[in-house]
Amino acid sequence: MADHPPILFGYARVSTEDQNLDLQRDAFRGHGVAENRIYEEKASGASLAKRPQLAAAIKALRKGDVLVVWKLDRLGRNLEELILTVRRIQQKEAHFRCLTQPIDTSTPMGTLIFHIFGAMAQFERELGRERTMAGLAAARVRGRIGGRKTVLDEAKQAQAREMLAAGMPISKVATKLKLGRSTLYKWRDAVRPAPVVDDPAEDGANG
């Protein structure tokens, strides 16, 4: 339990100077937020460091207090940013409430919804990593290693295939195409053309 009656704080934000905060102000007043406890700023949904009024609102929270916003997107640009900000509020042992969407971390249902949001954010991160790995694998097949601009373009890949298929050692192919042997080895291991003849002296070069 809080050692004082819970206080409602409002955070209102618009992203450009020509937008108006009146709608959010009116919503806060109708919800019981005192005028002197409404924090306002006109800023993009960038990091907390670039939103000093949000930082000030969170700093003002004490145990049991509630930070109120009109819409979830007032607090963050994306789900992950929203979750990080709400966790900062929870670290103060305070709560978060949204007036237009059913989020109120002072209630069991609101807490459940917030946990679902957290699981969704984790799913998005894992999905993003899978897409990145798939993209890198596809890039390697095409001769692009690590996302850099490829030095082994399609024309050189075609030449390399012909030379290797004809039995030319990788060292000579690399010299003719002005490429590093490691680049050719990585490309070869990705596409695995056959047959390939390595130089006997290079047995350890691909280790």
Side-chain angles (χ1 to χ4, degrees):
M1 294 290 294
D3 54 9
H4 68 283
I7 297 174
L8 301 181
F9 292 84
Y11 173 67
R13 180 182 66 81
V14 290
S15 57
T16 61
E17 289 296 329
D18 59 356
Q19 288 182 309
N20 198 297
L21 287 161
D22 287 346
L23 180 62
Q24 296 177 63
R25 291 186 189 118
D26 291 343
F28 292 148
R29 293 188 192 105
H31 194 68
V33 181
E35 184 79 30
N36 65 344
R37 293 196 175 98
I38 297 176
Y39 291 78
E40 303 176 353
E41 58 194 342
K42 294 186 177 182
S44 69
S47 67
L48 193 62
K50 296 181 180 179
R51 289 179 286 166
Q53 290 303 304
L54 175 58
I58 294 174
K59 185 177 180 180
L61 295 171
R62 294 183 295 172
K63 184 177 180 179
D65 289 345
V66 181
L67 182 65
V68 183
V69 299
W70 179 55
K71 290 177 64 178
L72 291 176
D73 62 5
R74 300 303 85 194
L75 208 61
R77 293 173 298 177
N78 53 55
L79 188 58
E80 187 165 3
E81 189 174 89
L82 171 67
I83 289 169
L84 288 173
T85 305
V86 174
R87 283 176 179 161
R88 290 189 180 101
I89 295 169
Q90 292 177 323
Q91 286 171 358
K92 301 292 295 284
E93 297 185 76
H95 303 290
F96 166 69
R97 184 177 301 161
C98 178
L99 298 182
T100 59
Q101 287 136 324
I103 303 292
D104 183 346
T105 60
S106 67
T107 69
M109 180 58 70
T111 301
L112 174 62
I113 293 173
F114 180 71
H115 286 321
I116 291 172
F117 279 3
M120 290 171 61
Q122 177 66 26
F123 172 73
E124 285 183 353
R125 286 193 295 271
E126 292 175 356
L127 196 60
R129 282 195 291 268
E130 288 179 6
R131 287 171 178 162
T132 298
M133 295 303 294
L136 288 173
R140 290 190 189 98
V141 171
R142 291 167 176 78
R144 296 192 295 272
I145 309 301
R148 299 180 186 176
K149 186 176 180 180
T150 181
V151 294
L152 187 56
D153 57 26
E154 292 184 5
K156 287 187 176 180
Q157 288 181 52
Q159 289 178 285
R161 285 191 187 95
E162 291 179 4
M163 294 177 190
L164 293 171
M168 184 178 292
I170 277 187
S171 60
K172 291 186 179 179
V173 175
T175 299
K176 284 184 175 291
L177 297 181
K178 297 180 180 180
L179 297 169
R181 284 181 295 175
S182 62
T183 298
L184 275 177
Y185 276 121
K186 289 176 182 177
W187 170 78
R188 183 201 68 177
D189 290 344
V191 298
R192 299 191 180 279
V196 175
V197 177
D198 291 340
D199 289 339
E202 295 177 2
D203 289 341
N206 197 26

